Amino acid sequence: MATAKIDTVADAEITVDKNLGFIGALPGDIVLKIFSHVSQQDCLTCMATCRAWDRAIPEYSQLTWKKLVIEPSDTYKNGQRRERCLGSHVKQVDIYATEESQLYLLMQRLVNWGCTEIESLELRMHRFTVDQDACIAALRKLAPDLVHLLIAGSQSMTLLPYILNTYPELTYFKSRRTGGLQHRNLTTIPIYRDTKIQYMHLDYPMDKAQLECTLPKCPNLRCFGIDQKFLGPFHSRSFDLDLLFTWCPKITYLSTNFVSNYGQFENAGDYMSDHVGIRYVNITDHYSRDQLARFLEQSQNTLEVLAITK
C-alpha cells in the first residue's frame, strides 16, 4: 500500500492510502477537512463498504471522534468498527448512566478503548448515588488530565471537594442537580491546595463551613454561581461579600439566584476576561444596607449589571 504521512490538528501522524482513488490523490489536510464533516454513523457505514475504507477511515476521521456520547441505550451495532475509531484523540465525552455499576462499566469501556486523554467530561448520573472513593478512582483512571467537568445528579454536591483535591488543574466545574433538592448535613472536606478553577456553577446551596473551606482555595475564580434561594442551614442565607472578594480577587461574575437567573449564567463566559473587578452581580436580598453600600462603593468603576432579587 502506497502511503504518505501527514499531521493532524493534534500533531499526530496519520497514514494516507494512495490506493483509495481520488481521496488518495488529495492533500492530507483536505482529506482531514472532508472527514471532519462526516458524521460518526456515516464513518461506520463507509467502513463497511470495503477493506481499504475499513482500514483507512479510523485514521482519517479522528476529528469526527473527538467528541463521544456514551449511554446505556447504545445498541453497539458495528461495535468493533467504532472501537477502532477511538483512542487518545477523544477529548470530550458525555456519559449517561442510570445506575452506579453501569457508570463504572461505561468508564472502564472507555479505558479499554484507549480514551484516557479526555479533557472534558460530563457525567449524567440520574437518580442514583455513587461510592465517592470508587467514583474518584474511576475518574483518575479515565481522565487524569481533566480540565472541564460537569456532573448532573443528586450527589454532585458531595463530590465537589473530592474533585478539587483530585484535579488541581481543573478550570471548569458545573453541577446540575436532578430531582428535588435534598438537604443534607454534609461533612466539611478540606481542600488541600490552591486550585486553578475559573468557572464554578453549583446548582445547589452550600453552608457557611463548606464555602469557607472551598472558596479560599479558588484564587483564580472568575465566574461563580450558587443557588442560595432554598438554602437551609446557611446563616442568614447569604455569605459575606467582602470575604468572597478577598478569597477570589479575580471574580468578575457572581450569581446567587439561579431560580430566576439560571439561563443568564450560561452566558457567564462573556465576563471571563482579563478585566479587573466585578462586572455582573445577581444576588438575593439578604444583605445589609451597609454591606451593599460598601460593595457598591468598591465596585463602582467596574460594575455593569446589578440585580437584587427576593
Side-chain angles (χ1 to χ4, degrees), residues 158-179:
T158 66
L159 288 172
L160 175 60
Y162 298 94
I163 294 295
L164 294 181
N165 280 327
T166 301
Y167 294 107
E169 301 297 316
L170 195 72
T171 60
Y172 178 109
F173 179 81
K174 183 175 182 179
S175 71
R176 183 176 298 163
R177 68 176 184 261
T178 56

Side-chain angles (χ1 to χ4, degrees), residues 19-247:
N19 296 321
L20 286 177
F22 78 94
I23 287 290
L26 293 175
D29 58 335
I30 300 299
V31 174
L32 293 177
K33 185 69 173 177
I34 290 172
F35 278 91
S36 71
H37 295 284
V38 178
S39 71
Q40 293 178 357
Q41 183 56 53
D42 285 343
C43 285
L44 299 177
T45 301
C46 290
M47 290 174 70
T49 59
C50 67
R51 291 181 180 177
W53 280 114
D54 182 68
R55 202 166 42 236
I57 285 180
E59 290 185 284
Y60 295 168
S61 61
Q62 288 187 15
L63 292 178
T64 298
W65 295 93
K66 188 175 182 180
K67 179 177 180 179
L68 186 65
V69 177
I70 300 292
E71 54 188 334
S73 60
D74 284 348
T75 60
Y76 295 102
K77 184 179 180 181
N78 298 319
Q80 291 184 347
R81 292 194 181 101
R82 182 167 75 162
E83 290 176 28
R84 289 175 43 234
C85 290
L86 304 179
S88 60
H89 54 276
V90 176
K91 301 299 182 183
Q92 182 178 349
V93 176
D94 297 355
I95 300 178
Y96 293 76
T98 56
E99 58 185 36
E100 184 177 15
S101 60
Q102 190 178 77
L103 173 66
Y104 298 147
L105 175 63
L106 295 174
M107 294 172 76
Q108 183 59 49
R109 187 167 286 164
L110 287 165
V111 172
N112 295 341
W113 291 339
C115 306
T116 55
E117 297 184 18
I118 297 170
E119 298 172 355
S120 176
L121 182 63
E122 297 190 7
L123 299 179
R124 303 182 186 273
M125 307 180 294
H126 294 290
R127 301 189 182 280
F128 69 92
T129 60
V130 297
D131 178 85
Q132 293 163 352
D133 292 336
C135 185
I136 293 300
L139 279 172
R140 283 189 181 129
K141 190 175 182 181
L142 174 64
D145 301 315
L146 201 61
V147 296
H148 181 292
L149 178 63
L150 180 149
I151 298 179
S154 61
Q155 203 179 358
S156 58
M157 60 194 298
T158 66
L159 288 172
L160 175 60
Y162 298 94
I163 294 295
L164 294 181
N165 280 327
T166 301
Y167 294 107
E169 301 297 316
L170 195 72
T171 60
Y172 178 109
F173 179 81
K174 183 175 182 179
S175 71
R176 183 176 298 163
R177 68 176 184 261
T178 56
L181 179 63
Q182 299 179 6
H183 292 287
R184 304 183 184 185
N185 293 320
L186 300 177
T187 302
T188 300
I189 306 297
I191 311 300
Y192 298 113
R193 51 189 170 181
D194 285 352
T195 71
K196 294 186 178 180
I197 197 81
Q198 297 182 25
Y199 180 112
M200 186 185 295
H201 170 182
L202 307 177
D203 191 17
Y204 51 79
M206 292 176 72
D207 64 29
K208 184 177 181 180
Q210 292 168 320
L211 283 174
E212 289 181 347
C213 236
T214 303
L215 292 180
K217 297 299 183 179
C218 302
N220 299 296
L221 190 64
R222 291 187 174 274
C223 293
F224 179 56
I226 186 169
D227 188 350
Q228 283 186 240
K229 192 167 182 63
F230 298 111
L231 198 52
F234 199 102
H235 180 65
S236 298
R237 298 176 67 187
S238 61
F239 54 86
D240 191 299
L241 291 175
D242 295 332
L243 277 178
L244 173 65
F245 295 118
T246 299
W247 294 332

